[in-house]
Amino acid sequence: MKFDNSRNLLERAKKVIPSATQTFSKGPNQWVGNVSPNYLARGDGAWIQDVDGNRFLDYLMALGPIILGYGNHKVNDTVKCQIDDGIVFSQMHPLEVEVSELLCELIPCAEMVRFGKNGSDVTTAAIRVTRAFTGRDRIAVCGYHGWHDWYIGTTTRDLGIPKAVKELTSSFDYNDIGSLEVLFEKFPSEIAAVIMEPVGIEKPQGNFLQDVKALCKSNGTLLVFDEIVTGFRMGLGGAQEYFGVTPDIACFGKAMANGFPISAVVGRRPVMEMFDKIFFSGTFGGEAASLAACKATITEMLDNQVIDYLWKSGDNLLAEIGKRVEKHGLNNVVKLLGYGVRFVMAFPCEDEYQARLRRSYFMQECIKRGLLFFGSHNITASHGEEEIRFTLDVYDQVFPLFAAAYQANDFESRLEGACVEPIFRKP
Ligand SMILES: Cc1ncc(COP(=O)(O)O)c(C=O)c1O
């Protein structure tokens, strides 16, 4: 495979774009140098084509937003019509009302809705509204919640975040209720909100989510579910619908509009009414093309029972990959984490560099065979029988190579380009 056009663009980008990327996870250091494309030109269903004309099967799906498939005609045709009518106006658009009503029907906690463009917009709006509602400043977080100060100050990429802001956010560990109890003991009556991904790739153990909710209630703290990833994937009502645990507020994004940029903060009326008093307002907040895409995506998903399909097909793929991991004696080396609708093939290892090497090698061998492997498997309505067969065929070729490299304890000499880098370490 040739990647000349990708490399040329990358060289030009390095001169005019810091880190060469808008999104760290898409950056060049997230892919094995030499053997991976950097720039993609078009997508069709579950397949993408890079700027050199190479074709790959994709499971990353633009980091989650694609749920029906790239270029879904129903969604795109709806958007094209909307573009002809206009997408931003000098007053509000009816779709703001229609899509809000739809979300209130679908999402258990939703009684009112406000829209944003990115996931970070609405997680930040959720934090501001919970602070205003409770009159408290502190926040407890669990998971990833976007690029804004209140969250990113808890990570190693905390350059530029004021100390005073950092001090107001504390992290707790998933499936460790004790780590949240400690925060409530340390900061009694000070925590405005607990914001968490209801599930990441680790499944909730026992009554973890119910216990978090009870702890919030008894401390007068609001519970915010960050459903940017889980929403419209585990269910149209998100993970809260799947697990039967309803938060006060929830944030949706990514898959809401099959790739069009829209996000939403939804929740209980008394808390949401506080938006009347705080400032959350933007020029593109009610942009009609993305609202039209969101309505069309919901319609497509309901009409075609897409969520059922994602579960059925994803569970099958997960089980088939699991069989191959076992067959090659890699149970302790390759882990499949998460649910059928979204799972990750991980290569955990105490030696952090070794873990990255292993993942990089697996990635390299899949990409050579036309599978744009990143680890995440975000199944979509467009991953049909042909795609699943193709995937398993590639894995059937790559697992023996991987097992041989593992036996030889040598991934490094087999890697044909730079190893992938971690995003969260001191820049
Ligand atoms: C769970 C979660 N919350 C929030 C965000 C932030 O969303 P965005 O990148 O659209 O701002 C992300 C992005 O990956 C996410 O995965």
Side-chain angles (χ1 to χ4, degrees):
M1 271 181 209
K2 287 205 163 144
F3 300 109
D4 297 349
N5 293 337
S6 263
R7 298 299 177 265
N8 286 338
L9 280 165
L10 188 57
E11 285 317 304
R12 284 166 57 193
K14 283 177 184 166
K15 293 187 188 125
V16 288
I17 303 173
S19 308
T21 186
Q22 322 302 324
T23 313
F24 277 131
S25 309
K26 298 183 187 178
N29 62 6
Q30 295 305 297
W31 299 91
V32 181
N34 299 339
V35 300
S36 313
N38 299 108
Y39 290 88
L40 305 181
R42 61 179 56 85
D44 180 14
W47 299 83
I48 50 96
Q49 193 179 310
D50 71 9
V51 288
D52 289 278
N54 302 306
R55 193 164 175 261
F56 299 93
L57 179 64
D58 189 11
Y59 277 98
L60 196 47
M61 308 321 283
L63 310 181
I66 307 300
I67 193 87
L68 297 171
Y70 289 103
N72 178 275
H73 289 299
K74 291 250 173 80
V75 176
N76 285 4
D77 289 347
T78 306
V79 171
K80 284 174 194 166
C81 289
Q82 189 59 53
I83 289 172
D84 287 340
D85 283 347
I87 59 169
V88 277
F89 301 93
S90 308
Q91 287 195 311
M92 300 170 291
H93 192 276
L95 278 168
E96 294 175 45
V97 186
E98 283 180 44
V99 179
S100 296
E101 286 170 350
L102 266 177
L103 295 184
C104 288
E105 276 168 34
L106 292 167
I107 304 169
C109 79
E111 291 174 347
M112 297 185 94
V113 178
R114 285 292 310 270
F115 295 108
K117 300 305 294 173
N118 284 293
S120 306
D121 296 351
V122 289
T123 54
T124 298
I127 293 311
R128 185 169 300 164
V129 86
T130 55
R131 280 175 163 158
F133 187 83
T134 58
R136 300 174 178 182
D137 288 342
R138 289 192 186 278
I139 303 294
V141 302
C142 179
Y144 173 75
H145 305 298
W147 71 270
H148 291 293
D149 287 9
W150 63 268
Y151 169 71
I152 219 70
T154 65
T155 73
T156 50
R157 277 220 177 234
D158 58 355
L159 256 183
I161 316 291
K163 199 159 158 255
V165 173
K166 287 175 65 160
E167 280 170 3
L168 293 177
T169 306
S170 308
S171 304
F172 65 101
D173 296 324
Y174 197 75
N175 275 335
D176 181 357
I177 196 72
S179 66
L180 182 59
E181 282 166 346
V182 165
L183 296 182
F184 279 119
E185 279 157 26
K186 195 167 163 198
F187 304 115
S189 304
E190 287 185 61
I191 301 180
V194 165
I195 180 167
M196 63 185 296
E197 292 183 63
V199 62
I201 51 171
E202 186 182 339
K203 295 182 180 178
Q205 301 296 315
N207 285 331
F208 178 65
L209 294 175
Q210 289 83 349
D211 292 348
V212 170
K213 183 172 170 175
L215 209 49
C216 286
K217 192 149 193 253
S218 62
N219 284 279
T221 295
L222 294 171
L223 177 60
V224 181
F225 275 177
D226 177 342
E227 300 236 34
I228 301 295
V229 170
T230 50
F232 280 28
R233 188 165 287 279
M234 296 195 86
L236 282 166
Q240 58 191 274
E241 180 188 27
Y242 182 79
F243 292 116
V245 178
T246 307
D248 297 291
I249 295 284
C251 303
F252 281 62
K254 296 219 189 237
M256 282 179 75
N258 201 43
F260 286 86
I262 187 167
S263 56
V265 50
V266 306
R268 284 204 295 122
R269 186 176 305 281
V271 187
M272 291 297 292
E273 279 176 344
M274 191 50 88
F275 273 104
D276 293 344
K277 299 200 176 130
I278 67 165
F279 196 86
F280 175 56
S281 171
T283 310
F284 296 115
E287 175 265 304
S290 298
L291 285 166
C294 181
K295 188 178 160 193
T297 301
I298 293 172
T299 307
E300 273 292 279
M301 291 185 76
L302 289 172
D303 286 354
N304 299 306
Q305 285 128 30
V306 168
I307 295 286
D308 286 351
Y309 176 77
L310 301 182
W311 277 104
K312 217 168 84 204
S313 183
D315 282 343
N316 170 48
L317 179 62
L318 185 57
E320 286 299 324
I321 300 174
K323 282 184 207 161
R324 284 152 175 87
V325 171
E326 190 154 343
K327 178 177 158 198
H328 293 285
L330 293 167
N331 278 337
N332 295 325
V333 188
V334 178
K335 297 284 175 196
L336 297 170
L337 309 169
Y339 294 85
V341 287
R342 176 182 177 248
F343 61 92
V344 171
M345 191 191 295
F347 304 87
C349 181
E350 273 190 18
D351 178 343
E352 187 267 339
Y353 174 58
Q354 186 60 217
R356 279 191 286 124
L357 265 182
R358 292 177 187 181
R359 179 163 160 258
S360 301
Y361 179 66
F362 201 94
M363 185 184 258
Q364 165 183 296
E365 295 307 320
C366 287
I367 288 176
K368 280 185 190 171
R369 291 164 177 79
L371 180 70
L372 198 73
F373 180 90
F374 196 76
S376 328
H377 294 71
N378 294 324
I379 198 123
T380 70
S382 58
H383 288 90
E385 272 178 34
E386 180 202 336
E387 285 74 18
I388 301 291
R389 220 178 300 118
F390 182 90
T391 309
L392 294 174
D393 184 40
V394 170
Y395 288 161
D396 279 336
Q397 297 171 51
V398 174
F399 272 124
L401 296 173
F402 183 89
Y406 179 69
Q407 292 300 332
N409 192 20
D410 175 22
F411 288 95
E412 205 158 25
S413 78
R414 287 166 163 84
L415 206 59
E416 295 167 29
C419 185
V420 298
E421 299 276 341
I423 291 175
F424 283 108
R425 70 171 175 202
K426 287 276 177 197

